[in-house]
Amino acid sequence: MAALAQEAQGLTLTARYCSATRIPDIKMTERFDCHYCKESLFGKKYILKEENPYCVKCYESLYSNTCEECKKPIGADCKDLSYKDRHWHETCFHCFQCKNSLVDKPFAAKEEHLLCTECYSNEYSSKCNECKKTIMPGTRKMEYKGNSWHETCFICHRCQQPIGTKSFIPKDNQNFCVPCYEKQFAMQCVQCKKAITTGGVTYREQPWHKECFVCTGCKKQLSGQRFTSRDEFAYCLSCFCNLYAKKCAGCTNPISGLGGTKYISFEERQWHNDCFNCKKCSLSLVGRGFLTERDDILCPECGKDI
């Protein structure tokens, strides 16, 4: 979500002026020379740097910055305007696009070029998805899925209150705060009676939260799991079998009868297909004749002596 864009940049001004106009009090027998070229500075302008005097020519050659616009040195008697280690003459410090001066004005930087706020806005600033006006540099903007809004335009469609950084739900190209969405659109869970804002499960044509649709027995979530029901209550297979399924006379485990499970039934007793075997020789009796001896079942061969 969304975001604050601070695009306006600051300006650092460094003004330098010629500082030498008067020769200090020295005896005529003493020399007063340029620290670099050693030429006499009597009767000439000079500049002090770190307490050393320089003639103007030497100072500009050694220490002057080069203007980004005209590529000429910025002389000692000129203002030196600097921004991020780059320098301009005062007359060269202007908008790259409209050429208007940027001195003492806010500006923005884009791909090494300086632009006034108007040119930057027209060329690069986002347009508000609500009012369609430019979102000016330095103002807060909200962003969502490639769209931008003024902070004051990013509001709930129903209550018209600013959404800001709160949670919201988009619907039909409109944004709603969560309480308004729930009041207007959300279904109510059959179990907890609260709004279902995302996901959900439909069972017997009624809506449920996934976390509310659970097994009546063990309370595990049934969403995405195989389950069955009895008396309109939902059960996982394990609980249903433990509670209601008949027990196999062979292994005593439940016979669910679900998912195509095959079983044998005889005189109110049931067996899994795999458990319906001769008590003595373990031969499968599925589809075969068999004999009974009390609770045991026998193949005809093992039961011939009964």
Side-chain angles (χ1 to χ4, degrees), residues 22-248:
R22 186 176 68 84
I23 299 297
D25 294 331
I26 59 175
K27 296 178 181 179
M28 294 302 293
T29 56
E30 295 180 5
R31 294 191 60 83
F32 187 67
D33 300 334
C34 171
H35 184 71
Y36 186 73
C37 70
K38 307 304 181 183
E39 289 188 6
S40 175
L41 294 177
F42 282 107
K44 299 179 181 178
K45 289 183 178 181
Y46 69 93
I47 300 168
L48 287 175
K49 182 174 177 61
E50 298 175 357
E51 298 185 359
N52 294 316
Y54 292 85
C55 65
V56 174
K57 182 179 179 181
C58 287
Y59 182 87
E60 291 181 348
S61 174
L62 292 170
Y63 300 113
S64 289
N65 294 307
T66 300
C67 176
E68 287 284 330
E69 179 69 15
C70 68
K71 307 305 179 185
K72 295 179 181 179
I74 302 174
D77 58 347
C78 299
K79 282 187 178 180
D80 183 336
L81 306 186
S82 65
Y83 169 71
K84 289 190 175 180
D85 297 325
R86 301 161 67 198
H87 300 264
W88 290 264
H89 291 104
E90 186 175 15
T91 54
C92 295
F93 192 69
H94 53 68
C95 173
F96 176 76
Q97 204 151 316
C98 69
K99 307 304 180 185
N100 288 331
S101 175
L102 296 177
V103 178
D104 296 327
K105 294 180 181 178
F107 64 91
K110 184 73 174 179
E111 298 175 355
E112 301 300 314
H113 298 308
L114 303 183
L115 299 166
C116 65
T117 53
E118 184 175 352
C119 288
Y120 183 90
S121 298
N122 292 336
E123 189 73 20
Y124 301 107
S125 289
S126 305
K127 298 294 189 295
C128 176
N129 195 56
E130 179 66 23
C131 69
K132 311 305 179 186
K133 295 180 181 179
T134 298
I135 301 175
M136 296 298 290
T139 59
R140 290 172 63 91
K141 71 176 180 180
M142 314 305 294
E143 295 181 330
Y144 175 70
K145 287 190 174 181
N147 293 321
S148 301
W149 290 263
H150 292 106
E151 185 179 27
T152 53
C153 292
F154 191 62
I155 60 177
C156 171
H157 180 74
R158 188 172 188 268
C159 68
Q160 299 297 300
Q161 295 300 308
I163 294 174
T165 57
K166 295 183 292 186
S167 298
F168 68 97
I169 301 173
K171 182 176 177 61
D172 299 331
N173 296 321
Q174 296 169 341
N175 299 315
F176 296 84
C177 64
V178 174
C180 284
Y181 181 88
E182 291 179 351
K183 290 176 183 176
Q184 187 161 340
F185 300 109
M187 294 184 292
Q188 305 297 315
C189 175
V190 171
Q191 178 66 23
C192 69
K193 310 304 180 185
K194 295 181 180 180
I196 301 173
T197 55
T198 58
V201 175
T202 299
Y203 174 64
R204 294 185 181 274
E205 299 183 356
Q206 294 180 317
W208 304 67
H209 288 112
K210 286 184 178 180
E211 57 271 22
C212 292
F213 187 58
V214 297
C215 172
T216 304
C218 66
K219 306 305 180 184
K220 291 182 179 179
Q221 289 189 27
L222 296 177
S223 178
Q225 308 295 322
R226 293 182 64 194
F227 68 93
T228 187
S229 63
R230 184 182 179 93
D231 299 329
E232 297 187 358
F233 294 103
Y235 295 87
C236 67
L237 297 188
S238 177
C239 286
F240 181 83
C241 290
N242 290 333
L243 291 170
Y244 301 112
K246 298 180 183 299
K247 302 299 189 291
C248 175

